[in-house]
Amino acid sequence: MTERIRALLDEAAEEIRPLAADPAPGIVRRAVARRRRVIAATAVVATVAALAAGTVLRVVGGTGPAPREVAASPSPLPSPLPRVLEPEVVDGEVRFNGLILPLAPGWKYREVETAVDYCVIEPKTVVLAMNGLGPGGDCNAHAQLQLSDDWQRYYRVHMFQAGRRFSLGLNEIVLPGGQPLWLDDNEVHNIVRGMQSSFTAGSLAAPWAAARLSYEMSPAEAAAVLQSIRGVPAPVTRLVVPDGVSDVYLNLDGETVHSTDPAVLKQVIERLRGLERMVQPAELPCAGAKVISPRLPDWLLAAKDMAQLDLVIMNPSPSPATTKISVLHQVTVGIGTAAECSFATSSDGGRVWLPAGFAAELHELIGGKP
């Protein structure tokens, strides 16, 4: 009986043949088709669920079929950039918190632990001087490039007074790799005039590296040295903004507004964290960006006249006998004001595109007149 059953099974198996000589392509096609059906069905279910929950579908411009942006749970908050004040010299390059300064032929590197007279430093030296250099005269105006950690010298909030009008101006250059350089209007002027002189000097903030770059050299040397500076490719993230903000300041068009209202602070932080359209490395500088100087053709102003937003965590004095307070931590956000190519950059990391009128919206929210 067992042999009869086996014979019948063998006979049935001989009649089974694949429909194609190689069935693998058909299997793959069927798997792809099934995956597409699953994706399509999932999308329909998600859309119906979103509509049922009252989610708003926002059309985001463009021609032809308009893409739809579905509100979703916010992605995890980005972390501040890691910063360690330990420079490295690797393959003839000074590396400092993601900033890379190649040593040109004939240049050397030196670290200075304490304040030292400028004239003591040899010509053609990249100096790491965290405590700064003394003035020391011109010493025959020798070439020098200095790194220090006082990048917020022109951006510290204690310089501001609510309602005060002053001309600061925040302009941004984006280095290869994505690192920003910030210059006030005075420094842009120094570069323009200095590159037309026999000797030039200037100072630029590198907020992501927590450093300030100061240079003194001939225009020809400056053109070569400055344009060689670049950054380690920076992470593409949303704006990094801190928790525990106690004060917010915004300087727009020369006027500073200030608020400590918890409801206002909450709205400002939420608006900043809600900006999720991150700037990609190849998107800056935008077309039409202006060259600062013909001698620096690679240095383009990716943003000009940005509003300066300062998010401050104040550190109250532990002594009840005094009301003196100090800044525990400050994050500065450059807020673009241009009609086109408008973006924001946080000093703690992250760069995002802005909707039209964002700076004016914040200004009114914090207490400025519309």
Side-chain angles (χ1 to χ4, degrees):
M1 185 65 178
T2 302
E3 294 179 358
R4 176 58 179 162
I5 293 173
R6 182 179 297 131
L8 290 173
L9 289 174
D10 292 341
E11 183 178 342
E14 289 177 359
E15 295 178 357
I16 297 174
R17 295 290 185 271
L19 296 178
D22 182 4
I27 294 172
V28 171
R29 284 194 298 272
R30 288 194 294 275
V32 171
R34 182 173 58 189
R35 188 161 57 248
R36 287 174 178 168
R37 288 195 297 271
V38 170
I39 292 172
T42 302
V44 170
V45 171
T47 302
V48 171
L51 291 172
T55 303
V56 177
L57 300 180
R58 181 168 61 87
V59 178
V60 291
T63 59
R68 289 179 174 270
E69 184 179 278
V70 180
S73 298
S75 53
L77 297 178
S79 301
L81 292 167
R83 291 163 176 156
V84 180
L85 302 181
E86 290 294 337
E88 295 180 295
V89 181
V90 180
D91 297 330
E93 297 178 335
V94 179
R95 301 193 173 199
F96 185 83
N97 286 339
L99 202 62
I100 300 175
L101 289 72
L103 291 171
W107 282 67
K108 59 185 73 67
Y109 171 73
R110 176 177 173 182
E111 293 184 40
V112 176
E113 298 293 337
T114 58
V116 65
D117 192 285
Y118 167 83
C119 292
V120 173
I121 306 299
E122 296 181 37
K124 294 190 174 182
T125 302
V126 175
V127 186
L128 177 71
M130 286 303 159
N131 294 302
L133 298 179
D138 62 11
C139 309
N140 295 320
H142 62 250
Q144 202 171 99
L145 184 67
Q146 303 165 19
L147 264 175
S148 63
D149 65 349
D150 63 340
W151 75 266
Q152 288 182 317
R153 183 168 60 194
Y154 298 131
Y155 307 105
R156 272 292 184 193
V157 74
H158 66 251
M159 299 175 61
F160 301 161
Q161 295 176 8
R164 178 184 175 189
R165 298 190 67 84
F166 64 100
S167 177
L168 179 67
L170 179 59
N171 309 285
E172 182 169 328
I173 295 168
V174 179
L175 294 174
Q179 287 251 1
L181 290 181
W182 282 353
L183 309 80
D184 63 18
D185 291 335
N186 185 57
E187 289 303 337
V188 173
H189 178 74
N190 284 345
I191 290 176
V192 172
R193 294 294 300 272
M195 288 295 174
Q196 299 170 350
S197 305
S198 59
F199 197 76
T200 183
S203 185
L204 311 99
W208 288 2
R212 175 165 291 277
L213 288 170
S214 301
Y215 62 91
E216 301 184 32
M217 56 194 78
S218 70
E221 288 172 316
V225 170
L226 295 180
Q227 290 191 118
S228 71
I229 299 172
R230 65 188 193 280
V232 174
V236 176
T237 69
R238 293 181 293 126
L239 296 177
V240 177
V241 294
D243 292 317
V245 173
S246 58
D247 293 70
V248 61
Y249 293 77
L250 177 69
N251 178 264
L252 175 65
D253 296 331
E255 180 180 6
T256 300
V257 291
H258 167 235
S259 179
T260 57
D261 184 339
V264 171
L265 300 178
K266 182 175 183 291
Q267 290 182 70
V268 170
I269 297 300
E270 287 177 349
R271 290 293 288 121
L272 294 172
R273 287 178 173 170
L275 299 168
E276 295 205 343
R277 189 183 163 211
M278 297 171 285
V279 177
Q280 300 301 315
E283 292 181 310
L284 289 178
C286 297
K290 303 297 183 182
V291 174
I292 290 183
S293 167
R295 284 184 176 267
L296 296 168
D298 297 334
W299 273 30
L300 301 166
L301 286 176
K304 194 174 186 306
D305 297 326
M306 303 173 88
Q308 180 176 333
L309 178 71
D310 293 293
L311 307 169
V312 183
I313 301 173
M314 304 302 286
N315 184 29
S317 171
S319 172
T322 177
T323 58
K324 183 179 180 181
I325 57 176
S326 61
V327 175
L328 178 64
H329 184 58
Q330 174 184 325
V331 173
T332 296
V333 182
I335 306 288
T337 58
E340 298 178 354
C341 193
S342 185
F343 61 90
T345 303
S346 168
S347 61
D348 264 9
R351 187 183 282 122
V352 296
W353 292 111
L354 295 173
F358 187 81
E361 176 191 338
L362 287 186
H363 183 262
E364 185 174 352
L365 175 61
I366 296 170
K369 295 181 180 179

